Structures are given as C-alpha cells and as structure tokens.
Amino acid sequence: MPSLLPTPEPDPRITPIPAAEIRRRYLEFFAARGHTVVPGASLVPAGDQTLLFTNSGMVQFKEVFTGAETRSYTRAVDVQRCLRVAGKHNDFEEVGRTPRHHTLFEMMGNWSFGDYFKREAIHWAWEFLTVEMGLPAERLAATTYRDDEVAWAAWRDEIGLPPERMARWGDVDAGDDKNFWRMADTGPCGPCSEIHFDRGPELSEGPECVPDHSEHCPRWLELWNLVFMEFNQLADGRRVPLPFTSVDTGLGLERLASVLQGVLSNYDTDLFTPIHETLRRLLGHDPEAFEADRFSYQVIADHSRAMTFLIADGVLPSNEGRGYVLRRIIRRAVRHGRLLGRRDPFLVETAAAVIDVMGDAYPMLRDERLQILAAIAREEVQFARTLDAGTLQLEEALIPLTDAERLVGRRPEDVPPDAPVLPGAFAFKLHDTYGFPIDLTIELAAEYGVQVDRAGFDVALEEQRQRSRGGRKAELARHAQLTDLYEGIQRRAGETLFLGYETTAAEGRVLAIVRDGIAFDELSGSGEAEVILDRTPFYAEGGGQVGDRGELFEAGGGSALFSVEETLRPVGRLVIHRGKLHGRLRTGETVSAVVDAERRARTMRNHTATHLLHRALRNAVGPAARQAGSLVAPDYLRFDYPFERALTEDERRRIEDEVRRVVREDRPVTVALLPIGEAIEAGADAFFDEKYGETVRTVRVADYSFELCGGTHCRASGQVGGFVITADRSIGTGMRRIEALTGDAADAHLRERAELLAEIAGHLGAQGVEAVPDRIAALEAELREAKRRLRAGAGAGVPKAAELAAAAREVAPGILLVARAGPWSTIEELKATAKETRSRLPSGVIALGLDADQPQLFVGVSEDLVVRGVSAGALAQAGMPHIEGKGGGRPEMAQGRGSRRDGLAAALEAIGAALVADSGG
C-alpha cells in the first residue's frame, strides 16, 4: 500500500525532535506549571468492569472526576499507553490502512481536578505547541463545541486565532458527538476543544476539507483534544453535573512526532522505523519493496508494539477476554508476515525492536523482556500448529467437493464461477475454532478449484459479533444502572467505614436497603436484598479474597434480621451486604453485624499462605512466576502464574517444604500503610490487575515476604498450620494454576491420602504400604506380557508388507498393482503398511482397503507412474461408488471413506480395472 499523497515541502521553521525528547519535554513543561508527574496506568484497567483495556488517559482518573476518589494533588501530567481494539473506541480494522490509526498509542495528558479550567488549558496547550515545540502559529486551527462561549472567546480574543482557522461543531442531544467527549456509554463527559495542524493546502481534497474532518481529509491532523469535564452520563440517558469541573487533555505522541519529524505517516516516525528496519532485514527487502508492501509492514509494526505492551502488563494469549484479543493481534501479525513471504517465526525479533525503542520510557519492558519474548514465541509456534491442523480440516472438506487435481498457486480469481462451493458456515467454523484466517481458506480452496461462500462466512461472523455485543451491552447496561444507584447512595449517605481488620463484630447504622435495583427506606418479610451500613466488620470481596458471610442482628443481641451471603464493594468505599432478609429493616436503625469468625479464620490462613506460596514459588523457579491471579476462599486457595511447564516433583517438594518451614518458624505478620512509591522502592510486590491509591497497605511476613495487600491475614505465619499443594495444572498457553490447602483442611487431605494408600495396598495384595511399588511393578510386568500375547493373536489376518509386495501383479506393461483389503485397526496402521510395502516395491500402485464398519480406501502411486499419467485421485474415485463414499487427493496419494463394507472387494477390482484402462492395457 504505497502512499499516494503528495509530499509537502519541509517547513524550515520546524525543528525535528525525537519522540523520546517530545515525551520528556511534555512532562517537564507541565511539571514546571505545578502538575504532579503521575506514572501511566496498566493497559489492564484496575477495578473497572466497563472496560476491557485502558483506552484513554482518563481511565485511571475516572473516579477522581466523579468525586468518588481523592488525590493529594489537583494538577497532574502523565503519558498513558492506550489500546483501542474493542468497545466504543475500536481502531483494530483501520490499523495499517491509514497513516494515523493504531491499536497501541501513547496519549500525553495534563489534568485539572477542580483546579484550572478552560482558559488555562487552552493557553498552556498553545504555549507548548508554539513555544516549546516551535510549531508555526499560522499552521494551527481550533474547534469548539457549538455553544461553548468561554472556549471560543479564549481562542478568538486571547490567543488571537483568525476566524478562518476556528470552527464550531457538535450537538450531542441530536446525536452529533463532534467536540463532545465521553470515555464510554456512561461516566464523566463534557465539551471539548480540538487543536489541528495544517499539513498544507496541496493535501486538501476540496471545500469539505476543514478541521475536525481530518479522518477524511489528509490536510488537517488533529493533534490535541482539550476535554472540559462538566457532566456525568448516567445509564438512563441523563447528564448530571459533576461535583466539580475538571480538565482532561490528550495529545497523541505519534501524531505530534510525525509533524515535528516532517513525515505524513505516524509509521514513518522514529517510534516505528526501527521495527520496519528489523522486518526488512529479516525479509531481505529493499526500500521499494517496503513501499509496495507498506500495509503489511504497518500492521506488523503496530501489532508488535501492542503485543509487547500487553504481555508486559500481565496479559497472556488465551481464548477469552483480554487474552483472546492479544491472540488475535499476534495471529494477525503472523498472517501479514506470511503475506510478505515469511514462514519462519519472526515476531520475537520485531518485539525486541519495540523493547529497544520504548525501554527507556517504559522500564518494565526491559524488566520483562525474557517473559515477553517467550510468550510471543510460544504463541507464534502454536499458531503455526493451528494453521497446520486447520489446513488438514480444510483439505478433508475440500477433497469430496471436487474431482480436480490440486494446483498449487492457482489464484482465487482463476476459479471458474460454476466451481463447487465450500459453505460459509464451515469457513467460519475454521475461523472460530482454529483461528484460521478467511483469506487463507479462500487461497487454499482455490488450489483445489473450489470457491468459498464468503457472503455466508460474513453472515456467520456478524451474527457472532452481534451475540457478543448484545450480551456484553446488556451486562454493561445493568452494571451501569447499579453503579448509578450506588454512587447516588454514596453521595447522599456517605461511605462505609471498614472495621474488619480489628474485629469480626460491630454495630452499624443502616444507610440503604436495595432490592432488584431499587432503594427502599424500609423492607420487611423475606427474600433477597442488599443492605448498606455506615460501619461494618465484613470484608468486601477484593484482591482475590472472597467476601465475608455472617448475620445482621437487632442491636444489643436480638433476633437475626438478615443473613449476609456475599459482601461486595461496587463503588468507592461503599460496602454492600447481599443476602436474605428475615424480618424488617429500616434505614437509620442500628444493627449488630457479626461475621462468621471461623470462616474468616480459614480465609485468613489461606491468604497468608498465598503470600508464602508466592515467595516460595519464585524462589524455586525464578522471578517470572509472579502472581497473575488468585482466589482466597475459606476451603482452599488458588494461585495463577505464568510458566511454560509443570513443576517437577523436586520443585513442588521444595515449595511445600519451604512454606512449611516458614510456618513452623512462626514469623510475625505485620501491616503498614506507606506511600505507594516508597512501598515499591522498598521491594513490595504489586499486581497488574489491582487498583492502588497514593497510600497503600502492605503485608510483611518477617524477613520473607512483602506485598501490597488489602486482605485479612494471620498475626503470625504459624497460624497457617498445615500446608499441602493439591494441584498444579495448565489453564492456558504459558499459564498455570496451583491449588493448595491449609490448616485442618490440609491435615484432613493428608490423612485421606494415607488411608487411600493403605486401601490400595490391600487391594493389590501388598504386605503393607511400603510394598506397593514392588507389587505394582510385578503387575505391570504381567500386563505387558498379556498385551504382547494379545497383539500376537490380533495380528492374524492383517496383511504384512512383505506378503503384499510378493503378491504384486503386472496389470499392464511395466505397471505392478497391489490390491488387498484387511482388518487393520486404524487408517494410520494401514498407511504404515503401505509405506513399508512401497519400500519393497519402488514402482507400482498400492491399493489397500480398511475392512471396517466404515470402510476406507487408500491408493498410492509411485513417482515414475505419476509421470506416465497415473493418478491416485482418479483411481480412488473409481472405487468409491462401490463403498458408497467420497474421496480424492493428489496424483501420488488419495483416500476416501464410505459406508458399505461389503463393497470393498468390488472397489479394489474397480481400481484395478481403471488402472488397466488408463494405461491402455
């Protein structure tokens, strides 16, 4: 996809600036103006169920805008890595086709939380672009929302923009979202003002080429979006004012770099060119080849960045959720590599180039380099196997559709319009089950002279997308409605104070009672409901730990009013007690909240043990085995970690022994609140899917483990009691799960295993447990001998290769035929016999029939006879009607399957007759 745009003359007034310097100077510019430099958040949004990925800079500040969260600063500046591949902001299909769309990009942002507003944001943006970056003022234009008089006046009267470089757009109530920004269907939103760069009149495409239409006209490039957060969009369609006005700006690093470096495409900036150069080296391409294949180069470069950052942020390829998106990104890059002629793995090289380019700005890329490259290598190899498996499935479906010989290199456009058609539903199944690209299906089908029902494929694909969107949309709508409800309760009644670190029983006042998404002042009778208290000892589910259960009683120890079955924290610090009502509850009354203390104690043992397991695991197999997920329940613990293989018996034993040793040493477990930067600097482990504030709670097992954690824990490691690992299994490519028991559950498990072993010894006739291994060895020897005798008997009647070769008969001058049916156990065993027969009979035709309920035919033709015009596919077709089957294949080998067992002999005779006829005998 070479560029067809004219290249403007370089502007001597613009000094080229590397992207790394732009990033640094942006942070320094706003830091000098009272902004706190805040690290960018993970691509995995912490604690936000409405988003699959961080798609804008405001994600980590969302609750600050609503007032649900406070920070120690009111001005911030950051550079946020963003991913747009799903949901409202989805650029996946546009990547590579345009000079400015990406899956992963960097958004530079400055923020005000109830501090400065429109005028200051506009003035600082103008100063940064024209003074700090040196862009000519006459090449910049601005747009505002239609009725935003403050922003319009700032541009016109204070900045001095001429009218011809100003425009007003948008009417959100009429469905026109221009100059009105929102992160998702619900949440903070507001009018915005955009700054556009004029690339030159020579790129204009007519009078419609004006700012804010830059996606359609290459002349105007949107650089910076200044969002003025004033409203909160509710699920019912209403927009209500936020507690205070804020500013959220987004300046695209890739776009600004393209302007400052004098190139028309983001892909020609120094953020991408090293990746292109790596791929060109691998492919042996010159610059002209790069331009001819620019589309695939751009897809690979973009996707290499996205996969590298996703894995660094803890996402691994899988078949669902974020892992599935990552898998799609990797596989699309592999597919474009194949379009460029690359069959061998290559993405490790391009990802390494990404790390080299971005590692200074994002040190975690270098820290996780080995893990990133290993995960990409595994997925690329696995996809190659997937392509092979999908190819076999596809060939099995294509062969019965046509009698044509396969012609490698036949193009889809060369397939005649009356050719057989592969159903679109089958092509979609290959795509959905195997990740098999549709264009590859079309190419392979063409080699067999078969068309693909592309329209049917598109229908099936769209139906799946609609199902996915429908389910996801309904889920998000329900979540948004409840979030609005809970946020309203929190604004009216306040937050819940958690007392559960110190006690399992406390009195609290009822703030709200909810049933079926409706808040009540009073509720009586029975049934499911939710209760919100101003104080509670109940731990709300979070950090992998399940929520507490227990009872709410009348104050002073009266009757039970409510059974708490689940404890949650849906927004801010509001705690929801979900369960069943037994009497009457009123808002404002005081109740006694009592946690199930024994259940809590079991959960605490498992949580402390999880920390011990994490440290022991990393000590045993290395730091890459970091926590990627966990479940801390009262009956067991579950721990997910990235690793390529199962633990060895020695590693598993070492982990168990180390945890048990620390338990025996009864080390103190202490809790401390620290600034997050101080905690990380001190070596505390943090996890990518958790949301942390400026001050964090740390849990330390003395001289052993140190983690950020909000859960409940034992006071000393000795309280964990017993510990035993019960499982270590794969839960996806490169991801494993350990399950373990503690305390009396571990003791019970070990006792049951000992009793089971004693029972097994009795059944085996062993004299005690110690004799079981010897007894098993003896029984295995007996079993091997029995199998040997069985195989010897079962082999009777199956033709041997030597016998078949000796029985070959000449059916035409210089043409030998072996034709025999037999009771081979599988088609693979039959093929093995055919292969061995071929080694004894270098020239000839071998036709074998599998005598089974579903008979199969196999025909092999030696190379010298293929040259003479003998075709295995044609011979197989001659025999198939006699077994009422279908089949086909290549000239040298073909096979088919039927349903008529008694037709095998006739089928082999027909093959012999066809061979004689074809050879002119």
Side-chain angles (χ1 to χ4, degrees):
M1 183 185 284
S3 173
L4 302 179
L5 298 175
T7 302
E9 289 295 322
D11 190 332
R13 296 169 296 176
I14 299 177
T15 302
I17 304 176
E21 184 177 338
I22 298 171
R23 191 190 292 117
R24 175 182 58 78
R25 288 169 64 177
Y26 179 83
L27 294 173
E28 292 173 350
F29 178 89
F30 282 97
R33 286 154 182 80
H35 291 66
T36 298
V37 178
V38 178
S42 166
L43 287 174
V44 179
D48 191 336
Q49 298 180 40
T50 65
L51 285 176
L52 199 62
F53 296 107
T54 297
N55 61 13
S56 69
M58 74 156 289
V59 171
Q60 69 166 317
F61 301 118
K62 178 180 177 181
E63 292 190 352
V64 181
F65 288 125
T66 65
E69 180 184 332
T70 59
R71 301 284 177 97
S72 62
Y73 46 81
T74 58
R75 298 180 181 184
V77 61
D78 72 344
V79 179
Q80 177 62 54
R81 53 194 181 276
C82 303
L83 196 75
R84 292 189 177 175
V85 290
K88 180 175 182 287
H89 302 284
N90 185 353
D91 293 339
F92 190 68
E93 297 302 329
E94 296 301 316
V95 168
R97 303 181 189 280
T98 75
R100 64 196 63 156
H101 281 98
H102 307 289
T103 53
L104 181 122
F105 61 96
E106 293 180 84
M107 187 69 77
M108 302 185 293
N110 54 287
W111 314 83
S112 163
F113 309 116
D115 193 314
Y116 62 84
F117 202 39
K118 299 178 182 181
R119 291 182 60 259
E120 294 89 341
I122 289 171
H123 277 272
W124 280 332
W126 185 258
E127 182 183 357
F128 180 77
L129 291 177
T130 60
V131 179
E132 185 71 20
M133 294 290 102
L135 294 183
E138 58 269 26
R139 297 190 68 173
L140 296 174
T143 65
T144 66
Y145 190 62
R146 65 182 183 122
D147 59 2
D148 191 340
E149 298 298 337
V150 175
W152 181 264
W155 284 117
R156 182 192 60 199
D157 302 333
E158 299 174 31
I159 299 301
L161 274 185
E164 65 270 18
R165 285 191 285 118
M166 295 175 61
R168 287 179 164 182
W169 305 103
D171 186 351
V172 68
D173 292 325
D176 183 357
D177 278 357
K178 288 188 180 67
N179 288 112
F180 194 93
W181 200 92
R182 45 187 156 197
M183 183 180 67
D185 292 334
T186 61
C189 58
C192 59
S193 179
E194 297 174 352
I195 304 174
H196 298 256
F197 179 78
D198 186 358
R199 288 197 180 274
E202 61 269 37
L203 296 180
S204 179
E205 295 182 349
E208 295 299 318
C209 189
V210 293
D212 209 29
H213 288 257
S214 55
E215 298 304 323
H216 310 288
C217 172
R219 175 177 179 177
W220 293 99
L221 178 67
E222 179 192 338
L223 287 180
W224 208 335
N225 191 6
L226 314 177
V227 182
F228 309 123
M229 291 293 184
E230 298 185 59
F231 307 105
N232 190 24
Q233 181 74 51
L234 303 181
D236 61 9
R238 292 180 299 129
R239 283 190 304 278
V240 298
L242 289 166
F244 47 80
T245 58
S246 299
V247 171
D248 156 17
T249 84
L251 171 61
L253 175 62
E254 293 82 2
R255 295 187 177 202
L256 182 56
S258 73
V259 170
L260 290 167
Q261 294 174 21
V263 294
L264 287 177
S265 171
N266 297 354
Y267 291 98
D268 292 331
T269 67
D270 61 351
L271 291 164
F272 290 89
T273 50
I275 311 172
H276 296 328
E277 290 166 4
T278 297
L279 190 56
R280 276 180 50 199
R281 172 177 53 80
L282 292 172
L283 296 170
H285 281 183
D286 56 23
E288 289 72 24
F290 166 77
E291 287 299 332
D293 293 313
R294 176 178 277 272
F295 174 41
S296 289
Y297 266 92
Q298 293 182 170
V299 168
I300 291 169
D302 173 273
H303 289 10
S304 295
R305 284 165 36 109
M307 68 182 74
T308 301
F309 274 86
L310 278 170
I311 296 169
D313 276 336
V315 181
L316 288 174
S318 69
N319 288 327
E320 59 184 22
R322 298 181 179 104
Y324 179 65
V325 173
L326 173 57
R327 176 159 283 168
R328 284 185 63 205
I329 289 171
I330 294 175
R331 292 185 171 188
R332 190 166 186 245
V334 171
R335 175 61 186 144
H336 277 274
R338 292 197 170 211
L339 291 176
L340 293 174
R342 180 75 179 187
R343 291 295 184 269
D344 295 331
F346 67 94
L347 290 178
V348 165
E349 298 283 348
T350 57
V354 173
I355 295 171
D356 291 342
V357 171
M358 309 289 279
D360 286 343
Y362 298 93
M364 84 278 192
L365 296 181
R366 288 182 175 155
D367 295 342
E368 301 293 329
R369 182 186 185 95
L370 294 179
Q371 288 70 40
I372 293 168
L373 301 184
I376 292 172
R378 284 196 306 270
E379 183 63 17
E380 195 168 5
V381 169
Q382 180 174 323
F383 186 44
R385 296 195 197 104
T386 295
L387 288 177
D388 292 341
T391 300
L392 289 175
Q393 294 281 330
L394 180 56
E395 287 182 331
E396 286 186 4
L398 291 171
I399 288 173
L401 292 176
T402 179
D403 297 335
E405 299 286 354
R406 180 181 181 186
L407 179 60
V408 176
R410 180 191 282 138
R411 298 177 301 176
E413 55 266 31
D414 295 333
V415 178
D418 59 347
V421 177
L422 182 76
F426 182 84
F428 175 73
K429 178 184 175 183
L430 282 179
H431 164 82
D432 194 43
T433 304
Y434 293 94
F436 206 80
I438 181 61
D439 50 355
L440 191 57
T441 299
I442 292 171
E443 289 177 14
L444 192 57
E447 295 180 357
Y448 282 87
V450 174
Q451 303 178 77
V452 176
D453 176 16
R454 179 60 190 262
F457 170 87
D458 290 338
V459 168
L461 180 62
E462 184 58 29
E463 286 175 352
Q464 185 203 52
R465 286 174 173 168
Q466 291 296 336
R467 287 193 299 271
S468 176
R469 290 180 191 135
R472 177 72 175 160
K473 193 168 185 179
E475 177 188 344
L476 290 177
R478 173 65 176 166
H479 180 267
Q481 289 173 349
L482 290 175
T483 299
D484 289 346
L485 172 67
Y486 297 140
E487 286 179 345
I489 292 172
Q490 183 172 259
R491 283 194 298 271
R492 291 193 308 272
E495 300 174 337
T496 304
L497 177 63
F498 176 58
L499 307 172
Y501 292 135
E502 295 82 25
T503 183
T504 55
E507 289 191 345
R509 183 168 54 86
V510 178
L511 299 179
I513 309 164
V514 176
R515 175 175 282 173
D516 297 329
I518 302 172
F520 295 87
D521 291 329
E522 181 176 325
L523 205 59
S524 60
S526 61
E528 295 184 352
E530 297 172 348
V531 178
I532 301 169
L533 305 177
D534 67 337
R535 293 154 37 98
T536 184
F538 283 78
Y539 178 84
E541 177 182 316
Q545 180 175 326
V546 299
D548 281 331
R549 293 180 182 175
E551 301 285 339
L552 302 184
F553 296 94
E554 293 177 344
S559 302
L561 300 173
F562 190 86
S563 294
V564 180
E565 298 175 350
E566 193 176 10
T567 310
L568 304 168
R569 191 175 59 198
V571 295
R573 293 186 177 88
L574 198 72
V575 175
I576 305 296
H577 305 79
R578 182 176 292 166
K580 292 182 179 177
L581 186 66
H582 301 308
R584 186 178 67 175
L585 271 176
R586 295 186 302 272
T587 57
E589 75 172 297
T590 298
V591 297
S592 180
V594 180
V595 173
D596 181 339
E598 177 57 32
R599 184 176 182 273
R600 164 77 79 82
R602 292 174 181 270
T603 305
M604 290 165 61
R605 284 196 289 268
N606 284 334
H607 205 153
T608 301
T610 299
H611 286 216
L612 302 183
L613 169 62
H614 188 195
R615 175 50 51 197
L617 175 67
R618 298 179 80 176
N619 288 346
V621 301
R626 64 187 184 280
Q627 180 175 325
S630 67
L631 174 66
V632 179
D635 47 347
Y636 79 110
L637 68 90
R638 191 176 73 202
F639 186 90
D640 300 341
Y641 64 104
F643 208 53
E644 299 179 27
R645 58 171 175 80
L647 296 173
T648 65
E649 282 301 316
D650 180 63
E651 288 167 342
R652 182 165 168 167
R653 189 180 303 112
R654 284 169 54 197
I655 293 167
E656 285 185 327
D657 289 348
E658 185 168 320
V659 172
R660 290 168 182 165
R661 173 179 59 78
V662 176
V663 169
R664 287 193 304 271
E665 291 169 349
D666 197 26
R667 300 186 182 212
V669 178
T670 56
V671 173
L673 297 178
L674 298 173
I676 187 167
E678 182 180 330
I680 299 298
E681 184 69 23
D685 291 324
F687 309 107
F688 72 92
D689 58 348
E690 290 297 320
K691 184 173 183 178
Y692 301 112
E694 293 179 88
T695 301
V696 293
R697 185 173 184 265
T698 64
V699 175
R700 185 189 297 272
V701 179
D703 300 322
Y704 188 69
S705 168
F706 185 36
E707 296 189 9
L708 306 189
C709 183
T712 59
H713 284 271
C714 302
R715 293 188 302 276
S717 61
Q719 293 180 335
V720 170
F723 177 81
V724 59
I725 294 175
T726 57
D728 170 42
R729 63 177 182 272
S730 171
I731 56 170
T733 304
M735 187 66 71
R736 301 197 65 80
R737 172 171 292 167
I738 289 176
E739 293 180 1
L741 302 173
T742 65
D744 54 357
D747 296 341
H749 175 78
L750 294 174
R751 182 171 58 252
E752 289 168 5
R753 284 207 305 189
E755 291 171 352
L756 179 61
L757 188 56
E759 184 179 346
I760 290 171
H763 285 300
L764 292 174
Q767 299 301 311
V769 170
E770 296 78 7
V772 166
D774 291 339
R775 181 58 182 152
I776 290 176
L779 291 173
E780 286 177 337
E782 293 177 15
L783 183 60
R784 284 193 296 270
E785 176 61 19
K787 287 182 176 179
R788 186 191 64 77
R789 293 176 181 176
L790 186 61
R791 283 195 300 269
V798 175
K800 302 295 188 293
E803 174 189 347
L804 293 173
R809 56 192 177 92
E810 188 172 17
V811 296
I815 299 179
L816 296 175
L817 171 66
V818 172
R820 181 78 68 87
W824 284 276
S825 59
T826 64
I827 190 66
E828 286 74 22
E829 187 178 322
L830 180 151
K831 289 179 180 179
T833 302
K835 183 177 181 181
E836 188 178 348
T837 304
R838 169 66 64 221
S839 68
R840 298 167 181 267
L841 191 71
S843 176
V845 175
I846 300 171
L848 302 180
L850 176 62
D851 188 3
D853 290 337
Q854 288 189 320
Q856 297 187 57
L857 288 175
F858 174 84
V859 180
V861 177
S862 58
E863 291 184 8
D864 61 313
L865 297 184
V866 170
V867 173
R868 292 173 57 179
V870 179
S871 170
L875 295 177
Q877 289 292 335
M880 293 310 296
H882 296 278
I883 60 171
E884 297 180 356
K886 289 185 177 181
R890 304 186 296 275
E892 66 274 14
M893 186 174 67
Q895 69 183 75
R897 181 193 299 268
S899 59
R900 186 179 171 187
R901 186 174 189 172
D902 60 1
L904 265 179
L908 292 171
E909 289 180 10
I911 289 172
L915 177 60
V916 172
D918 289 347
S919 61

